[in-house]
Amino acid sequence: MGASMPKQYLPLLGQPIALYSFRIFSLMSEVKEIVVVCDPSYRDIFEEAQNSGTVYLKFASPGKERQDSVFNGLQEVDQTTELVCVHDSARPLVLTDDVKKVLNDAWVHGAAVLGVPVKATIKEVIKPSLLRKGFEVVYREGLEVTDDVSIVEHLKHPVYITEGSYTNIKVTTPDDLLLAERILNQR
Protein backbone atom coordinates (compact mmCIF):
# COMPACT_ATOMS: atom_id res chain seq x y z
CA MET A 1 0.00 0.00 0.00
CA GLY A 2 3.05 2.22 -0.25
CA ALA A 3 3.27 2.80 3.51
CA SER A 4 6.42 3.12 5.60
CA MET A 5 5.31 0.21 7.80
CA PRO A 6 3.71 -3.19 7.22
CA LYS A 7 0.02 -2.88 6.36
CA GLN A 8 -1.18 -4.70 9.48
CA TYR A 9 0.12 -1.81 11.61
CA LEU A 10 -1.53 0.98 9.61
CA PRO A 11 -4.32 2.73 11.53
CA LEU A 12 -7.91 1.68 10.93
CA LEU A 13 -10.29 4.01 12.76
CA GLY A 14 -7.49 5.03 15.09
CA GLN A 15 -5.91 1.68 15.96
CA PRO A 16 -3.51 -0.66 14.17
CA ILE A 17 -5.27 -3.08 11.80
CA ALA A 18 -3.74 -6.10 13.58
CA LEU A 19 -5.38 -5.23 16.89
CA TYR A 20 -8.91 -5.83 15.65
CA SER A 21 -8.49 -9.59 15.21
CA PHE A 22 -6.08 -9.74 18.16
CA ARG A 23 -8.84 -8.41 20.42
CA ILE A 24 -11.44 -10.79 18.95
CA PHE A 25 -9.23 -13.79 19.77
CA SER A 26 -8.10 -12.47 23.15
CA LEU A 27 -11.70 -12.13 24.36
CA MET A 28 -12.71 -15.67 23.39
CA SER A 29 -12.90 -18.21 26.22
CA GLU A 30 -11.81 -20.91 23.74
CA VAL A 31 -8.45 -19.18 23.26
CA LYS A 32 -5.83 -19.84 25.94
CA GLU A 33 -2.76 -18.36 24.26
CA ILE A 34 -1.93 -16.14 21.33
CA VAL A 35 1.37 -16.42 19.50
CA VAL A 36 2.03 -13.28 17.50
CA VAL A 37 4.59 -13.67 14.74
CA CYS A 38 6.09 -10.25 14.21
CA ASP A 39 9.27 -8.26 14.12
CA PRO A 40 10.36 -7.52 17.70
CA SER A 41 9.96 -3.79 17.06
CA TYR A 42 6.16 -4.26 16.87
CA ARG A 43 5.69 -6.42 19.99
CA ASP A 44 4.80 -3.46 22.18
CA ILE A 45 1.61 -2.89 20.15
CA PHE A 46 0.29 -6.27 21.29
CA GLU A 47 1.68 -6.07 24.81
CA GLU A 48 -0.07 -2.75 25.40
CA ALA A 49 -3.35 -4.07 23.97
CA GLN A 50 -3.35 -7.32 25.91
CA ASN A 51 -6.20 -7.67 28.37
CA SER A 52 -4.50 -8.70 31.59
CA GLY A 53 -5.10 -12.32 32.44
CA THR A 54 -7.35 -13.30 29.52
CA VAL A 55 -4.82 -15.15 27.36
CA TYR A 56 -1.15 -15.91 27.54
CA LEU A 57 0.73 -13.82 24.97
CA LYS A 58 3.82 -15.21 23.24
CA PHE A 59 5.90 -14.03 20.31
CA ALA A 60 7.80 -15.66 17.47
CA SER A 61 10.03 -14.12 14.85
CA PRO A 62 8.89 -13.99 11.24
CA GLY A 63 10.50 -16.24 8.67
CA LYS A 64 11.60 -15.64 5.12
CA GLU A 65 8.30 -16.94 3.70
CA ARG A 66 4.83 -17.23 5.21
CA GLN A 67 5.27 -20.95 5.80
CA ASP A 68 8.46 -20.21 7.77
CA SER A 69 6.59 -17.67 9.90
CA VAL A 70 3.81 -20.17 10.61
CA PHE A 71 6.41 -22.80 11.49
CA ASN A 72 8.16 -20.39 13.88
CA GLY A 73 4.85 -19.57 15.54
CA LEU A 74 3.98 -23.25 15.85
CA GLN A 75 7.20 -23.84 17.79
CA GLU A 76 5.88 -21.52 20.52
CA VAL A 77 2.49 -23.23 20.85
CA ASP A 78 1.93 -25.09 24.12
CA GLN A 79 2.31 -28.85 23.56
CA THR A 80 -1.12 -29.52 25.12
CA THR A 81 -2.93 -27.25 22.67
CA GLU A 82 -5.60 -29.12 20.73
CA LEU A 83 -6.23 -26.63 17.90
CA VAL A 84 -4.19 -23.84 16.34
CA CYS A 85 -5.77 -20.88 14.56
CA VAL A 86 -3.55 -19.40 11.88
CA HIS A 87 -4.81 -15.90 11.17
CA ASP A 88 -3.56 -13.19 8.84
CA SER A 89 -3.68 -9.96 10.84
CA ALA A 90 -4.38 -8.03 7.64
CA ARG A 91 -7.90 -9.49 7.97
CA PRO A 92 -9.20 -7.33 10.82
CA LEU A 93 -12.91 -7.98 10.39
CA VAL A 94 -13.19 -11.63 11.42
CA LEU A 95 -16.30 -12.30 13.49
CA THR A 96 -16.31 -14.22 16.78
CA ASP A 97 -19.14 -16.45 15.54
CA ASP A 98 -17.12 -17.37 12.44
CA VAL A 99 -14.09 -18.22 14.57
CA LYS A 100 -16.28 -20.45 16.74
CA LYS A 101 -17.70 -22.19 13.65
CA VAL A 102 -14.28 -22.91 12.16
CA LEU A 103 -12.96 -24.09 15.54
CA ASN A 104 -15.84 -26.55 15.81
CA ASP A 105 -15.32 -27.79 12.26
CA ALA A 106 -11.58 -28.24 12.84
CA TRP A 107 -12.32 -30.16 16.03
CA VAL A 108 -14.56 -32.54 14.06
CA HIS A 109 -12.49 -32.80 10.85
CA GLY A 110 -8.92 -32.13 12.04
CA ALA A 111 -8.46 -29.06 9.84
CA ALA A 112 -10.85 -26.40 8.60
CA VAL A 113 -10.50 -23.18 6.67
CA LEU A 114 -12.84 -20.20 6.94
CA GLY A 115 -13.81 -18.95 3.53
CA VAL A 116 -16.63 -17.72 1.37
CA PRO A 117 -17.81 -19.06 -1.98
CA VAL A 118 -15.68 -17.87 -4.93
CA LYS A 119 -13.51 -15.65 -2.75
CA ALA A 120 -10.08 -16.23 -1.25
CA THR A 121 -9.71 -18.23 1.93
CA ILE A 122 -9.50 -16.36 5.18
CA LYS A 123 -8.28 -18.29 8.16
CA GLU A 124 -7.21 -21.78 9.04
CA VAL A 125 -7.67 -23.82 12.19
CA ILE A 126 -5.64 -27.00 12.38
CA LYS A 127 -4.74 -29.59 14.96
CA PRO A 128 -1.10 -28.81 15.89
CA SER A 129 0.00 -32.43 15.42
CA LEU A 130 -1.36 -32.37 11.86
CA LEU A 131 0.42 -29.10 11.10
CA ARG A 132 3.69 -30.42 12.57
CA LYS A 133 3.46 -33.58 10.42
CA GLY A 134 2.75 -31.40 7.39
CA PHE A 135 5.80 -29.23 8.09
CA GLU A 136 7.94 -32.38 8.32
CA VAL A 137 6.83 -33.32 4.79
CA VAL A 138 7.21 -29.78 3.45
CA TYR A 139 10.75 -29.36 4.78
CA ARG A 140 11.86 -32.95 4.05
CA GLU A 141 10.71 -32.66 0.43
CA GLY A 142 11.78 -29.01 0.03
CA LEU A 143 8.29 -27.86 -0.88
CA GLU A 144 7.07 -24.27 -0.95
CA VAL A 145 3.44 -23.75 -0.05
CA THR A 146 1.23 -20.74 -0.59
CA ASP A 147 -0.92 -21.15 2.51
CA ASP A 148 -1.19 -23.19 5.66
CA VAL A 149 -3.93 -25.46 4.34
CA SER A 150 -1.56 -26.60 1.58
CA ILE A 151 0.75 -27.93 4.28
CA VAL A 152 -1.99 -30.24 5.55
CA GLU A 153 -3.11 -31.14 2.04
CA HIS A 154 0.39 -32.52 1.36
CA LEU A 155 -0.50 -35.18 3.96
CA LYS A 156 -3.54 -36.10 1.83
CA HIS A 157 -5.69 -35.05 4.78
CA PRO A 158 -8.99 -33.40 3.86
CA VAL A 159 -9.53 -29.82 4.95
CA TYR A 160 -13.09 -28.84 5.79
CA ILE A 161 -14.32 -25.51 4.43
CA THR A 162 -16.32 -23.48 6.95
CA GLU A 163 -18.43 -20.76 5.39
CA GLY A 164 -17.52 -17.34 6.74
CA SER A 165 -18.58 -13.75 6.18
CA TYR A 166 -17.86 -11.66 3.11
CA THR A 167 -17.07 -8.73 5.38
CA ASN A 168 -13.87 -10.41 6.60
CA ILE A 169 -11.79 -8.76 3.89
CA LYS A 170 -8.03 -8.64 3.69
CA VAL A 171 -6.68 -5.09 3.81
CA THR A 172 -4.11 -4.79 1.03
CA THR A 173 -4.98 -1.51 -0.72
CA PRO A 174 -6.13 1.96 0.33
CA ASP A 175 -9.59 1.06 -1.04
CA ASP A 176 -9.68 -1.99 1.26
CA LEU A 177 -8.88 0.29 4.19
CA LEU A 178 -11.82 2.55 3.33
CA LEU A 179 -14.12 -0.47 2.98
CA ALA A 180 -12.95 -1.85 6.34
CA GLU A 181 -13.75 1.50 7.97
CA ARG A 182 -17.27 1.42 6.51
CA ILE A 183 -17.83 -2.13 7.72
CA LEU A 184 -16.59 -1.29 11.22
CA ASN A 185 -18.77 1.82 11.37
CA GLN A 186 -21.83 -0.31 10.54
CA ARG A 187 -21.19 -2.85 13.33
Side-chain angles (χ1 to χ4, degrees):
M1 289 198 337
S4 61
M5 65 178 69
K7 63 186 169 223
Q8 64 267 33
Y9 304 114
L10 292 173
L12 174 60
L13 294 180
Q15 76 175 5
I17 289 171
L19 289 187
Y20 285 91
S21 55
F22 176 80
R23 287 198 170 109
I24 290 288
F25 284 99
S26 68
L27 294 173
M28 294 182 65
S29 62
E30 297 87 350
V31 176
K32 303 303 179 211
E33 69 178 352
I34 295 177
V35 178
V36 176
V37 179
C38 69
D39 185 275
S41 64
Y42 292 103
R43 290 181 180 181
D44 62 320
I45 292 172
F46 300 96
E47 290 169 336
E48 291 170 10
Q50 183 184 18
N51 296 331
S52 57
T54 56
V55 295
Y56 186 60
L57 178 60
K58 297 179 182 178
F59 293 96
S61 295
K64 182 180 175 204
E65 302 294 336
R66 177 182 168 89
Q67 72 187 47
D68 303 316
S69 295
V70 173
F71 180 80
N72 292 349
L74 184 62
Q75 302 315 300
E76 299 300 321
V77 172
D78 185 279
Q79 291 298 313
T80 63
T81 296
E82 297 180 79
L83 292 174
V84 173
C85 293
V86 179
H87 183 73
D88 183 341
S89 63
R91 294 191 183 275
L93 304 175
V94 67
L95 300 172
T96 302
D97 287 345
D98 285 345
V99 175
K100 288 181 180 185
K101 285 191 309 187
V102 76
L103 282 168
N104 184 63
D105 289 340
W107 184 255
V108 172
H109 301 282
V113 59
L114 185 62
V116 290
V118 192
K119 299 259 184 163
T121 58
I122 297 173
K123 185 169 59 63
E124 300 86 23
V125 180
I126 306 166
K127 290 185 176 177
S129 59
L130 202 54
L131 192 55
R132 286 186 184 96
K133 286 179 193 173
F135 269 115
E136 287 174 15
V137 171
V138 166
Y139 286 127
R140 182 177 61 240
E141 297 180 13
L143 303 172
E144 286 192 25
V145 294
T146 56
D147 59 46
D148 317 306
V149 168
S150 300
I151 295 168
V152 175
E153 289 174 334
H154 279 292
L155 295 174
K156 307 294 186 233
H157 189 285
V159 176
Y160 188 84
I161 299 174
T162 303
E163 188 167 343
S165 304
Y166 281 105
T167 58
N168 188 18
I169 64 168
K170 182 172 183 175
V171 177
T172 58
T173 68
D175 287 340
D176 295 335
L177 195 58
L178 290 172
L179 179 57
E181 287 177 359
R182 285 185 189 155
I183 292 168
L184 285 170
N185 283 327
Q186 291 176 356
R187 285 191 180 168

